Amino acid sequence: MLGGGRITNLNWLELFPDRIKSMLLELPPEYLGRVEEVRIREGRPLEVNESGGHRFVTGQGLLTMEKDKAYRPGRDDCRRILDLISNHSLYTLEEELRKGFITVPGGHRIGLAGRTVLSNGRVEHIRDISGFNVRIAREVQGAANDILPFLYDEKERRMKHTLILSPPQHGKTTLLRDLTRQISSGSLGSSPVKHAGMKVGVIDERSEIAGSLHGVPSFDVGPRTDVMDACPKAEGMMMMLRSMSPDVLIVDEIGREEDAEAVTEALHAGISVIASAHGSGPEELHSRPAMQKLMDNRMFEMYVLLQRSSGRTTFRLMDRQLRVLQLRVKGETHHA
Amino acid sequence: MLKLIGAVLILLSGTLAGFHQASRFAARPRQIRELILAMQRLETEISYGFTPLPEAFRKMSDQLGEPLKHIFKSAAGHMASGGGITAQESIQRSLHENWKRTAMKTPERDILHQLSFTLGTSDRQDQIKHIALAAQQLKHEEVVARDEQAKYEKISRSLGLLIGALIVILIF
C-alpha cells in the first residue's frame, strides 16, 4: 500500500491568476489536497482531476459534472497563466516549448497544447498556447516504505535490478522519488535494517523525479543523490556511469532501443538499475522489442506492478522468471 | 519700495520658470538617448543572456540614472510581487507612476506602452524585433526632441524673463 506518507507542496495555487485561484480555493480543502491535475482549455470548461475521476469547476468554485455550468477560461486567463508560469519571460523557455512542457518551482509540470511551429519537419516552438495541464507534483515521503525491503539484497548489500510497471497516473514517479530519497539516505522503508546510504544517480529526462529548477532538485531526493536534469535517458545513463560512479541508477520510463542498451551496459558494470516503464503487465511489455530483449536476458531481478483502484495504490512483485512472489508481511499473507 | 520688491520677485520667478522649461527641452533628448541604450541592453539580455524579464529590468535599472531608473525598477518590483500581475500590467503601472518625473513626452510613453504588450510573451527573435522597433521609434523621437531643443531651449529661457518683464510693466 502506498500513501499514508507526508504530503508537501501546496504552493501550486500560486501558478494561477487571481480569478481562477479564488475559484480553486473555494473547493473543499480535502478535495484540493487530492487534486492531481488542473486542466485549462481556452473557451472550454475548467476541469480538475483526481484519482476518482474528473469534475468541472463553476465560477463560484463548486464542483459539478455538468459542463454547461462550469467556468470557461477565456483568452485573458490563458494569457495570464502563460505569463505567470513563464516568469513573464516566454523567450527563456525555448527548449521547454519544443518539448511541450514547463517545470515550475515546486516540481509541478505544466503540459502545453497549441499550434506548433515547424522547422525542418521538427517542432520548433508552440505558439497560440490554449491548453494547459497543470500536473501537481506530490512528494509522498514514505510511499516506498512497503516495497523497499523487497528490493534490497542483504547478502550482497546492494539494490536489486528492478523494473517498475504501471499505467500512467498510478504513482510511478512518486514511488521512484521516494525510493531515491530512502536509498540515498540509507533507510529501507518499513524494514528495521539500515545501510550506510548509497550513491544514487537520477536521470530525470522530464524533470519529474527531482523537479529540478536551475539544476537544483526541488524535492528531497536524499543526501547522496546526483541528478542529471532534462537529459536524454540513454545518454544520461552513460554519462553517469563514466563520471559519477553511482551505486544505483534511477531512470524513469525507459522503452527505446538505446535505453535498453544503456541499461544493459549499467548492469554489466555492476550498477543496480531501478527503472520504470509504461505498461499494465509483463506481457504487454514483452511485446515491445527493446524491452523484450531485456526481459529475455533476465536482466531485471524484480518486477513491481503498481495498481491503483479507488484512490489506493497496491503492488505486486514478480521475480526474474516472472513468478509472482507470495509474501508474508506483518502477519498477514497477501499478494504483495 | 514694496512695489520694487514685488517687481523683482516677478522677474525672478519668470526667469526661473523659463530656465526650468529650457532644462526640460535639454533633458528630453538626453533621456530618450538613455532609453535607447537601455533598449539595446534589454535586447542583449534577452538574446544572449536568456535573462528573465524581472531580472533584466533590475539589471537595467542598476545601470540607468534618475529618473529612468525608477521606471524599470518599479516594473521589476511589480512583476516579482507575485500578485498575479502580468508583465504588461507591471510595465504600464510603472509608467503611470513614474512618467511625470521624466522630461519625456507622450510619444515616448506610447512607444513603451506599445512595447509592454509584447515583452515577455513570445520567442526571442520576436522579442528582439519588437525591441529594435521600439528603439527605432525612439531614435525618431530623439531627432524631433533635438530639433525642439535647438528651437526652443534659448527662446524659452529669454521668454521667461520677457514675460516677467511684461507683467511688471503691465502692473506699473
Side-chain angles (χ1 to χ4, degrees):
Chain A
M1 202 70 56
L2 304 182
R6 198 152 56 85
I7 291 175
T8 46
N9 263 322
L10 265 169
N11 60 1
W12 53 272
L13 281 165
E14 296 302 324
L15 296 171
F16 295 98
D18 282 346
R19 193 165 3 164
I20 294 179
K21 187 169 142 190
S22 63
M23 287 172 208
L24 292 172
L25 275 171
E26 288 294 316
L27 297 176
E30 87 279 357
Y31 187 84
L32 205 57
R34 287 202 312 267
V35 170
E36 288 169 1
E37 285 182 349
V38 180
R39 313 194 70 122
I40 287 152
R41 304 174 178 102
E42 188 179 318
R44 278 153 293 164
L46 174 63
E47 179 187 327
V48 287
N49 277 309
E50 48 121 19
S51 56
H54 77 278
R55 292 272 195 291
F56 299 118
V57 181
T58 69
Q60 289 75 43
L62 301 169
L63 292 170
T64 175
M65 281 308 281
E66 292 169 62
K67 60 181 190 303
D68 296 329
K69 288 187 181 161
Y71 175 73
R72 288 165 191 263
R75 170 146 295 188
D76 184 59
D77 289 313
C78 291
R79 203 173 48 80
R80 274 168 191 280
I81 292 171
L82 196 59
D83 193 274
L84 290 178
I85 61 180
S86 65
N87 188 17
H88 316 288
S89 320
L90 202 61
Y91 55 84
T92 54
L93 300 173
E94 288 181 1
E95 188 59 37
E96 284 86 346
L97 286 178
R98 214 182 332 264
K99 288 182 181 165
F101 66 85
I102 303 177
T103 305
V104 295
H108 311 299
R109 261 183 33 160
I110 300 160
L112 305 168
R115 201 166 72 89
T116 56
V117 178
L118 299 184
S119 157
N120 297 328
R122 291 188 59 195
V123 175
E124 163 99 357
H125 191 70
I126 309 177
R127 54 176 304 170
D128 304 333
I129 296 169
S130 64
F132 301 85
N133 174 17
V134 181
R135 283 185 75 176
I136 294 148
R138 289 257 153 66
E139 190 177 13
V140 186
Q141 298 200 343
N145 275 354
D146 294 340
I147 296 178
L148 199 49
F150 301 111
L151 305 188
Y152 185 60
D153 190 333
E154 259 180 80
K155 237 194 296 174
E156 297 190 30
R157 291 169 168 267
R158 60 174 196 83
M159 302 308 298
K160 292 177 187 167
H161 307 309
T162 307
L163 185 67
I164 298 167
L165 275 174
S166 94
Q169 286 242 314
H170 279 224
K172 266 194 314 272
T173 309
T174 313
L175 177 62
L176 272 182
R177 188 181 302 134
D178 198 48
L179 280 173
T180 310
R181 182 184 67 85
Q182 299 211 33
I183 294 170
S184 168
S185 55
S187 99
L188 276 179
S190 56
S191 152
V193 182
K194 292 261 184 255
H195 57 92
M198 300 178 191
K199 286 180 282 182
V200 184
V202 178
I203 293 94
D204 201 2
E205 182 167 2
R206 298 185 304 163
S207 305
E208 268 191 313
I209 302 178
S212 297
L213 197 76
H214 306 306
V216 181
S218 308
F219 296 117
D220 181 3
V221 286
R224 304 193 68 199
T225 303
D226 301 300
V227 181
M228 199 69 90
D229 188 41
C231 182
K233 282 168 286 245
E235 225 178 312
M237 278 189 266
M238 298 312 290
M239 284 166 77
M240 279 277 184
L241 277 181
R242 283 194 291 264
S243 59
M244 303 304 283
S245 70
D247 299 318
V248 183
L249 269 180
I250 303 234
V251 51
D252 207 358
E253 294 181 11
I254 57 170
R256 283 174 313 179
E257 195 74 46
E258 59 263 35
D259 299 343
E261 271 170 36
V263 168
T264 315
E265 195 73 31
L267 297 185
H268 285 316
I271 292 165
S272 311
V273 175
I274 300 181
S276 73
H278 273 308
S280 51
E283 305 77 26
E284 192 190 320
L285 200 65
H286 205 257
S287 62
R288 281 145 70 176
M291 304 307 287
Q292 184 184 6
K293 217 188 299 171
L294 279 179
M295 293 175 78
D296 288 347
N297 292 338
R298 302 205 168 150
M299 285 296 184
F300 291 107
E301 295 165 271
M302 191 69 88
Y303 294 86
V304 180
L305 271 61
L306 293 182
Q307 244 149 14
R308 181 143 85 174
S309 48
S310 59
R312 296 165 79 92
T313 305
T314 53
F315 64 91
R316 281 193 305 152
L317 296 175
M318 288 173 163
D319 72 358
R320 210 184 271 266
Q321 281 94 30
L322 297 178
R323 287 179 307 213
V324 176
L325 297 182
Q326 289 276 353
L327 295 158
R328 187 173 283 272
V329 186
K330 289 175 197 156
E332 47 176 325
T333 311
H334 62 98
H335 289 280
Chain B
M1 186 61 196
L2 212 61
K3 263 187 171 178
L4 201 65
I5 295 174
V8 170
L9 277 178
I10 290 173
L11 269 180
L12 203 68
S13 52
T15 315
L16 279 177
F19 270 76
H20 177 68
Q21 193 56 40
S23 77
R24 280 182 76 87
F25 275 117
R28 186 177 167 215
R30 204 178 54 236
Q31 290 180 0
I32 296 179
R33 175 106 305 247
E34 232 184 318
L35 201 55
I36 294 170
L37 291 177
M39 287 298 122
Q40 285 163 356
R41 216 165 289 143
L42 180 63
E43 195 183 315
T44 315
E45 288 292 346
I46 288 178
S47 62
Y48 297 107
F50 285 96
T51 319
L53 215 48
E55 206 188 318
F57 269 37
R58 219 167 292 128
K59 279 188 183 170
M60 279 158 70
S61 79
D62 286 344
Q63 291 167 332
L64 283 169
E66 298 283 357
L68 289 178
K69 193 186 193 75
H70 277 280
I71 297 178
F72 294 103
K73 199 173 181 177
S74 84
H78 289 314
M79 280 185 235
S81 67
I85 311 170
T86 62
Q88 180 197 331
E89 287 163 340
S90 308
I91 297 169
Q92 291 177 1
R93 204 177 282 187
S94 168
L95 285 178
H96 182 73
E97 290 164 355
N98 298 303
W99 195 255
K100 282 208 185 86
R101 302 160 83 164
T102 73
M104 289 183 285
K105 294 191 174 166
T106 328
E108 293 90 275
R109 186 188 166 133
D110 287 346
I111 293 169
L112 289 185
H113 192 265
Q114 201 57 42
L115 185 64
S116 76
F117 287 101
T118 41
L119 267 190
T121 59
S122 58
D123 59 52
R124 266 188 315 161
Q125 281 159 358
D126 196 55
Q127 295 284 300
I128 291 163
K129 267 184 212 153
H130 278 99
I131 295 169
L133 179 67
Q136 195 61 43
Q137 288 171 324
L138 284 172
K139 273 181 195 153
H140 176 71
E141 290 308 322
E142 190 194 4
V143 173
V144 175
R146 283 209 192 284
D147 279 354
E148 282 185 9
Q149 183 191 4
K151 264 191 224 160
Y152 302 124
E153 189 186 1
K154 275 188 191 148
I155 294 180
S156 47
R157 216 173 282 157
S158 8
L159 208 64
L161 180 69
L162 288 177
I163 288 176
L166 183 69
I167 296 172
V168 171
I169 290 166
L170 285 179
I171 289 175
F172 276 99

